[in-house]
């Protein structure tokens, strides 16, 4: 099934999906012809597409520039996460660190972002 027409991308305008594919925010899938690819998205990509669809439905679409900038910041965070994981001496400890980080760090990161936004707002606007 074409990625553009799959269940994974339901609710997101076709033009948006194609744009995200061109910009590399979604994986291209397996080519079946010069103009078509097929495949399904991983759970992480489905979550991203669902979030985009929700924002579009609510009237708050995010442009590709915003998403690309955020993706680059998250890539840097991933490098730091893996660097930290690799400090563990054994593979079992690395796996444990990766799982614990995935579960425990998520709730920690959102408040850090809000604090940074609050500090930046105070700096910019004196709030």
């Amino acid at each position: 099934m074409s990625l553009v027409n799959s269940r994974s991308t339901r609710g997101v305008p076709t033009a948006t999906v194609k744009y995200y594919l061109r910009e590399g925010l979604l994986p291209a899938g397996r080519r079946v012809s010069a103009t078509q690819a097929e495949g399904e998205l991983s759970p992480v990509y489905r979550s991203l597409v669902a979030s985009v669809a929700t924002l579009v439905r609510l009237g708050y679409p995010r442009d590709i520039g915003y998403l690309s900038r955020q993706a680059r910041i998250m890539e840097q965070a991933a490098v730091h996460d893996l660097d930290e994981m690799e400090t563990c001496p054994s593979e079992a400890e690395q796996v444990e660190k990766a799982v614990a980080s995935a579960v425990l760090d998520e709730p920690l990161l959102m408040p850090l972002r809000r604090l940074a936004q609050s500090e930046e707002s105070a700096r910019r606007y004196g709030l």
Side-chain angles (χ1 to χ4, degrees), residues 1-4 18 21-23 26-40:
M1 170 182 276
S2 164
L3 183 59
V4 171
K18 288 181 178 181
L21 286 166
R22 277 194 313 274
E23 294 297 321
L26 293 176
R30 186 177 62 81
R31 283 252 176 237
V32 292
S33 73
T35 60
Q36 195 171 23
E38 67 180 13
E40 283 294 318

Side-chain angles (χ1 to χ4, degrees), residues 116-127:
Q117 288 171 335
S118 177
E119 290 175 10
E120 181 62 15
S121 293
R123 187 188 69 73
R124 286 186 187 197
Y125 311 115
L127 300 175

